[in-house]
Amino acid sequence: QEELVESGGGLVQPGGSLRLSCATSGSSNYVLAWFRQAPGKEREFVAVIKSGSTYYGDSVKGRFTISRDSAKNTVHLQMNSLKLEDTAVYYCAAGRPITSTIRRPNAYYYWGQGTQVTVSS
């Protein structure tokens, strides 16, 4: 059983930055990803790091950066140039997806409780 704990969410103005962190319970064998879900919308793929490669959702490409600190079993999501539409609950996920399924929520076994990100002026 893998435990994931997100932190770093909050309220930020448009154009601002936030850094989310996800601490895992110990296994470095899982692929770690970030998803988000806004009210009334489906869970959306944000970013994933797999075997040293990074992949991003189209809506965040060029603004968000995912990174992993294997020594600390932590994955980070640096979010820059935030927009109103980035407002959502952000979730960390762990699993062993193949590359063709990395954007699918059902490819991941474990999920954190989520952290709220609100972009508002």
Side-chain angles (χ1 to χ4, degrees):
Q1 185 76 16
E2 187 83 358
E3 183 178 0
L4 308 173
V5 180
E6 302 99 336
S7 60
L11 174 65
V12 64
Q13 292 185 339
S17 298
L18 278 177
R19 186 179 191 232
L20 304 183
S21 297
C22 173
T24 69
S25 59
S27 174
S28 61
N29 295 327
Y30 291 104
V31 171
L32 296 175
W34 288 96
F35 288 79
R36 67 186 182 186
Q37 190 164 18
K41 295 188 176 181
E42 294 186 351
R43 194 161 293 192
E44 177 189 13
F45 169 75
V46 174
V48 65
I49 186 163
K50 182 178 185 293
S51 302
S53 295
T54 56
Y55 306 85
Y56 296 93
D58 289 341
S59 61
V60 307
K61 202 173 296 182
R63 300 187 297 123
F64 291 11
T65 303
I66 188 171
S67 62
R68 183 168 186 165
D69 185 340
S70 296
K72 296 182 179 180
N73 297 318
T74 302
V75 63
H76 303 285
L77 184 69
Q78 178 66 43
M79 306 186 295
N80 298 328
S81 302
L82 284 161
K83 304 176 180 180
L84 296 175
E85 53 264 40
D86 293 319
T87 296
V89 178
Y90 284 69
Y91 296 93
C92 179
R96 295 195 178 97
I98 58 176
T99 302
S100 62
T101 65
I102 55 173
R103 292 174 172 81
R104 301 177 189 173
N106 60 9
Y108 295 85
Y109 309 138
Y110 304 110
W111 293 83
Q113 81 288 351
T115 185
Q116 176 71 46
V117 171
T118 302
V119 184
S120 175
S121 55

